[in-house]
Amino acid sequence: MVYVLNIHNKPLMPTVRFGKVRRLLRDNKAKVVKNCPFTIKLLYEVEDKTQDITLGVDAGSKTIGLSATTRDKELFSAEYELRNDIVKKLSARRECRRTRRNRLRYRKPRFDNRTSTKKKGWLAPSIRHKIDSHLNIVRDIHNLLPITNIIVEVASFDIQKIKNPDIQGKDYQQGEQLGFWNVREYVLFRDGHTCRHCKGKSKDPILNVHHIESRQTGGDSPGNLITLCKTCHGDYHKGIIELNIKRGKTFRDAAFMGIMRWAFYSKLKEDYPNVSLTYGYLTKNKRIRNNLPKDKRTDAYCIAGNLHAKRLEHYFYYKKVRCHNRQIHKRNIQKGGKLRNNQAPYMVKGFRLFDKVKYQGKFYFIFGR
């Protein structure tokens, strides 16, 4: 499949007539503007004849499914893997910042000056990044194909219903932490004010609330907290004992989908004219009735609605990677108190990070300089 732009960079219908494309390039009537997906730009005026193309978008917190179809065939199919390291990177940055400020001089707390988080519509950086990634990939496909309609599948999760199937009415306003001052008090009450490891055998009267997964990755939800006595807590962090306790069910992906669905849909409505919503149960019904496999790009194909269109034999796989690293020094201090430089040249012998290169007849990506 060769994607085509006119002389004004407006997308036209793609073609599989490789011989004609080769002749256009040979006669300097077209030029290559992108290798993957292979896209050419015509250098002469042509009549814009296009068909109705529907783009199906299966939104997700980890992977996005995309499929653009006409009534007869599929023109584009892709899966887009999102970054999931934003929280970890922000935590590392916060740790370095606090350490640096405490090491150099006393500095008055200024967290109350940060008013951006109090503004209406503010989103956490990890969520905002994923919404922006959804919008960016839709924009890229719009620049590749003359899309006429966009159908987005969003999901609505009732987390309290998942925890308690019998919940109804005012029970939604009376959660499991009702009547407790904070999460710590609730966790101590839930565990019966008893150490979950030794069951009180240590006779230590001091109780601590321990994160099963680190707060950085697991958060402060009750499912990630357990009660340990001071003795067991200290022994665990010294590596003397091990805890055979798994954290409760996490609802991070469900919470993300609940937050992002309207923000993503509203932004799409601002940028494109024909945008509509669909839901997971409709996609599942179409997939089962047509005996199709379960994956993101197939769900997007079902969302697009042209179930008799001939599917592509290949698909594109995108992976969002870090664009910039502004860290000046490595976090680990070497012997003698020296900090190792973390910066590397942007270009090394004509190549940069994540470039696609051909070596001995095979294609590779550059992951280090």
Side-chain angles (χ1 to χ4, degrees):
M1 187 76 70
V2 178
Y3 300 94
V4 184
L5 307 178
N6 68 9
I7 196 170
H8 306 293
N9 290 321
K10 183 179 179 181
L12 302 174
M13 297 299 294
T15 181
V16 292
R17 298 170 63 184
F18 303 112
K20 182 177 181 180
V21 171
R22 195 177 296 111
R23 289 192 296 273
L24 289 173
L25 294 173
R26 182 193 62 197
D27 298 338
N28 293 324
K29 293 183 178 180
K31 66 177 183 179
V32 178
V33 294
K34 188 183 292 185
N35 284 325
C36 187
F38 191 75
T39 309
I40 64 171
K41 177 183 176 180
L42 301 179
L43 302 179
Y44 61 94
E45 292 283 356
V46 295
E47 186 180 355
D48 294 349
K49 290 185 177 180
T50 61
Q51 304 174 28
D52 289 340
I53 301 177
T54 302
L55 174 63
V57 181
D58 184 14
S61 65
K62 295 179 180 177
T63 307
I64 310 170
L66 301 142
S67 178
T69 62
T70 62
R71 291 180 57 187
D72 300 324
K73 57 184 177 180
E74 188 177 32
L75 304 178
F76 183 88
S77 180
E79 290 187 359
Y80 189 101
E81 183 180 339
L82 302 172
R83 289 182 63 185
N84 287 286
D85 60 344
I86 303 294
V87 174
K88 185 176 181 180
K89 299 293 185 186
L90 290 176
S91 297
R93 185 182 70 175
R94 179 173 61 247
E95 181 182 340
C96 290
R97 180 178 67 244
R98 290 178 176 176
T99 303
R100 180 178 69 251
R101 289 177 178 172
N102 290 332
R103 181 175 67 245
L104 297 177
R105 61 183 174 83
Y106 173 75
R107 187 174 185 273
K108 291 183 179 180
R110 297 180 181 176
F111 48 82
D112 287 337
N113 296 345
R114 298 181 182 180
T115 58
S116 62
T117 58
K118 301 175 184 178
K119 294 180 180 178
K120 185 178 180 181
W122 179 86
L123 294 172
S126 57
I127 297 175
R128 188 174 67 247
H129 154 73
K130 292 187 177 183
I131 294 175
D132 289 344
S133 296
H134 280 72
L135 295 170
N136 289 340
I137 189 64
V138 171
R139 185 196 62 229
D140 290 345
I141 298 173
H142 251 275
N143 294 333
L144 202 64
L145 292 168
I147 303 295
T148 52
N149 300 293
I150 301 176
I151 303 177
V152 181
E153 180 194 297
V154 295
S156 176
F157 295 95
D158 189 342
I159 296 177
Q160 294 198 58
K161 193 79 171 179
I162 297 174
K163 293 180 179 179
N164 179 16
D166 299 326
I167 193 171
Q168 58 182 342
K170 65 179 182 180
D171 292 340
Y172 278 99
Q173 301 174 4
Q174 300 177 357
E176 56 186 4
Q177 297 181 48
L178 180 67
F180 295 94
W181 283 99
N182 50 38
V183 179
R184 183 179 186 278
E185 185 181 3
Y186 166 73
V187 172
L188 292 173
F189 173 81
R190 182 198 65 190
D191 295 340
H193 291 84
T194 305
C195 176
R196 291 280 298 275
H197 179 72
C198 69
K199 309 298 183 183
K201 294 180 181 178
S202 67
K203 304 297 183 181
D204 193 334
I206 301 176
L207 299 177
N208 295 328
V209 174
H210 169 71
H211 290 82
I212 302 173
E213 293 180 356
S214 67
R215 188 193 64 81
Q216 173 180 294
T217 57
D220 291 324
S221 63
N224 191 41
L225 299 172
I226 58 170
T227 303
L228 292 179
C229 64
K230 186 177 181 180
T231 302
C232 293
H233 197 215
D235 289 346
Y236 171 77
H237 286 290
K238 292 175 183 177
I240 299 175
I241 63 174
E242 293 184 1
L243 299 176
N244 296 321
I245 302 173
K246 294 183 179 180
R247 69 153 296 164
K249 192 173 182 179
T250 177
F251 300 99
R252 175 175 295 176
D253 293 336
F256 163 75
M257 292 303 297
I259 295 170
M260 71 82 62
R261 60 184 182 129
W262 293 118
F264 175 46
Y265 178 67
S266 300
K267 187 62 177 176
L268 278 181
K269 291 283 284 186
E270 294 177 7
D271 297 341
Y272 307 105
N274 299 318
V275 182
S276 58
L277 289 177
T278 186
Y279 296 93
Y281 71 94
L282 297 173
T283 304
K284 182 179 179 181
N285 182 42
K286 294 176 183 178
R287 188 180 68 245
I288 293 175
R289 288 175 61 184
N290 291 273
N291 195 27
L292 295 171
K294 175 71 177 85
D295 55 56
K296 279 288 185 177
R297 62 189 183 92
T298 302
D299 283 350
Y301 172 79
C302 296
I303 292 166
N306 298 310
L307 297 174
H308 298 292
K310 183 180 179 181
R311 299 198 67 187
L312 289 173
E313 297 179 356
H314 63 272
Y315 72 97
F316 295 100
Y317 176 76
Y318 294 82
K319 183 176 181 180
K320 186 71 177 84
V321 294
R322 187 177 188 175
C323 296
H324 300 284
N325 184 0
R326 298 181 178 89
Q327 183 179 343
I328 299 175
H329 298 102
K330 299 287 187 183
R331 295 183 66 192
N332 297 328
I333 300 176
Q334 295 179 321
K335 290 183 178 179
K338 296 181 180 179
L339 287 173
R340 183 182 174 188
N341 193 1
N342 189 56
Q343 297 295 318
Y346 186 76
M347 299 288 290
V348 178
K349 296 185 178 180
F351 297 98
R352 58 164 291 190
L353 207 60
F354 305 117
D355 273 352
K356 186 178 181 180
V357 297
K358 188 176 182 180
Y359 176 69
Q360 294 184 349
K362 294 183 179 181
F363 289 99
Y364 301 91
F365 290 90
I366 296 175
F367 286 103
R369 290 167 292 185

